[in-house]
Amino acid sequence: MKQQAASCLIYLLSIFMSTELTAGNQSQEAALERRVAELLARMTVAEKIGQMSQVNGADGAVTDELASALRAGKIGSILNEVNVDTVNELQRIAVEESRLGIPLLIGRDVIHGFRTVLPIPLGQAASFNPGLVEKGARMAALEAASRGVNWTFAPMIDVSRDPRWGRIAESLGEDPYLHGVLGAAMVRGFQGDDLAVPGTIAACAKHFAGYGASESGRDYNTTNIPEHELRNVYLRPFKAAVDAGVATLMASFSDLNGVPATANEFLMRQVLRDEWGFQGFVVSDWASIEQLSVHGITANDREAALAAVTAGINMEMATTTYADHVTGLLEEGRIDMTLIDEMVAGILRVKFALGLFENPYTDPSTLPAMANAEHLAIARETALQSLVLLENRDRTLPLDAGKLGSLAVIGPLADDPYEQLGTWIFDGDPSLSQTPLNAIRQHLGERVEVNYVKAMETSRSRSTEGFEKAVRAARAADAVVVFLGEESILSGETHSRADINLPGSQAELIAALRESGKPVIAVVMAGRPLTLGNIVDQVDALLFAWHPGTMGGPAIADVLFGVEPPSGKLPATFPLVVGQVPIYYAHKNTGRPPSPENFTHMDDIPVRAPQYSWGFGSFHLDAGYKPLYEFGYGLSYTRFEYSDIEVSHAEIGMDERFTVQAVVRNAGDVAADEVVQLYVRDLVANVTRPVKELKGFQRLRLKPGEESRVSFELGPDDLAFYGRDMTLITEPGEFDAWIGGSSEADLRTRFRLVRK
Ligand code: BGC
C-alpha cells in the first residue's frame, strides 16, 4: 500500500515536473521569438540581406574590404577563418562597429576532428558506437571552438550505396538507420545540451538531400530517387538529426528528380519546414545558388536567387546572388518581405541560441588545449573500434610478439603521417600523427628487429623497382605486415573513382611478397570500400583501417599484437567487382531473387546452350549476387555464437511495444566486443520493402565462455514506412527478425502485427 502511494506520488511529481519543464521551455522559446522579432523590426533590407550572406575568410587577415562590409552589416557569416585573434577582431567589428551589433557565425568543415584527427566518418561508422562517436564530436567541437569557430558543416549524413563516390568517406555508409543514430550522436556531441555553453558549436546536417545517390558515383551528379525511396532511405537520417535538434542544414549540390536541391521547394518547404517543423536555417553549398543556372533550372543569377530564396535557402555560401538581387526582387514584387523575414529569423534564432549576443568572443585559455591526452585517447579508442578484420586464416593474427624474432613492415602507407589522416582535415596536424611503423616499433621494443621497406613511392606508383628489397626483407622476417590502400587525396569531394581496386601496382606487391613464403598481413587504409578480390587469396590476414586519423598507428598495433581484439563492422558493402555497384544489403527481393539453385556462373554454361535452359535469377553471370563482404561484417579474435531468438509476444497489437531477444555467447578464448545487430523484414506491404533492414544494434563485451541475453525493444513506429500515398504507415502482417553479427545473420524468428 505504502509502495503504491509512493509510486503514485512519484508519478504525479513527474507529471508536474514535465509540465513545469515544458512550460519553462515554452517561455524560453517565446522569449527567443520576442528577441528575434524585435531585432528584425529594427533591421533595414540591406541588413537583412547581410545576415543571409556568408563570405570566405581572408586567411587570417582583416582586410579593409571585409572590415567595411562588416561595419555596413553586409555579412552574417564567415567561413574558413580559424585564426582566433582574427575571429575576435571580426566579431568586434561586427558587434561594436555595425549599427545593430549582430555577431557573426564562423563556419568551418570540422568533419572528423579538428587538430586531433579522428578516423574518417565512414571509419567512425564502423565502430557502431554512438557514445564514442558523440565523444569524438564533442572533442572536435572543443578544439574548433577554441579557434573561434561556432558552426561546423557536419555531420554529413548522405546515405551512399556507391563506393565509387569519393564523398562516401565523409558519410556514415549505406544504411539509413545507422546514419540516423550516429548522425544524431554527432549532433549531440557538437551541440551539447545547450548551444550557449562555451565549447559547443552549431551542427549542420548535410547535404539535403540525395547527394549520396549521384549517378555512377560521379561527384555533383544527377540523382533520380522515387519519393518513397527518398523518404524511406535518404531523408531518414535528416529527420533523426532534426529530432536531435540540429541547428542548421546544408542543401546539396545535386539535382533531385529534375529540381536541384538548392531550389527544391519540396525538400526545404514541404518536408523540412511543414512536415518536420524545422526552426533553424538552411545554408546553400559553396556557390550552389549560382550553379542553379549551370544546372539549367534558372536563366541567370537573379532568377537563381529567386528560386533559392523561394525554396527556403536562408543563407548563401560564397557567392553574392542574394546580395546582388534580393533588393531588386523585393522591389519588383517577386518576393515578399515576409519571406525575407522568415529567412533571417532562422539565422538570428541560431545566433541567439549560441549565446553570441551575450558573448561573441573566444578566450582559448578557458577551453581545453588542442590535442591533449584525453583527446588523443578518444582518437585512439575510435580508431581501434573502427578497425575491421576481414580475413584471418589459421589465426594468423594476433601476432605473438614474444615469438617474433623479426618483422618486415612494408608499404607506402606504413609511415606516412599525412596520408593516415584522410580527407577534409584542414586543421589536422600531421606532426601529431602516430604512424603504424612507429607504433609497431614501440610495441616490439629493441628485442625484435623491424625492417621497414616502403617499396612504392605512393599508393598510386606503378613502378615495381622497390619490390626486390621488400621481398628480401620479407624473406628475412618471421612475418610481413604490408600497409596498402589509397592516399587521402583519392577520396573526398570531387575524388570519385570508376575503378576501386587498390591503385598502382599494390596488388603486384602483394603477389611478390607472397613468394617469400612468410605470413602476409595486409592492413588497408582507404577512404571507401575497395574491391579486394584480387588480393584476398594472397594474404593470410586482412585488416581494414579506413583512414584512421592521428592515433591510427597505436590502434593498429594494438590489434596486430592482440592487446585488443578487432571489433569494427562494415558500414557499407564491399563489392566483389565494381560492376556490381550498387550492391547493398537492404535491397528489394525482386520477382526472381537469385539463389544457389538458379545461379550459374558463365564458365559453367556449355557453348551454344539454349537461352532459357538455365536458372532465372537476378544476378551477374560472372560475379554472382553476393558481395565480397556484407554490411555489418567483421571478424574478431574470438567466435560469437547466437541462439534462442524470441519475440516477447507472437502477436503484437498495433500500438504495443515488444522486444526481440537472443543469446550471444563468446565461444572462443579471448575477451572481445561484439556488435550485435537486429534486422527486420516486412514480408508483405503496399510498397515492396527491403529483404532486411537494420533496426537496432548493441556493442557489448563478453569474456570467454560468457553469454548474454541481448534484447531490442521496438514499437510499431520502428516498423513504419512511407507507402504508396507517401504517408508514414505501419501495416499489420508478418515480419521476420534476425539477430546476429552481420547482415547475413541467419538466426531468425517471425512475429505478427495485428489489429487487436
Ligand atoms: C562542400 C561542403 C562544404 C563546403 C564548405 C563544399 O564544397 O560540398 O560539404 O561544407 O564546401 O567548405
Side-chain angles (χ1 to χ4, degrees), residues 140 217 258 288 367 390 411 418 443 447 477 509 715:
S288 72
L367 293 165
L390 297 175
Y418 176 79
H443 184 89
R447 204 191 53 76
L509 176 61

Side-chain angles (χ1 to χ4, degrees), residues 131-151:
L132 190 57
V133 166
E134 182 175 334
K135 267 194 202 166
R138 179 90 210 95
M139 173 277 270
L142 286 167
E143 291 194 354
S146 75
R147 286 290 177 269
V149 172
N150 52 32
W151 180 24

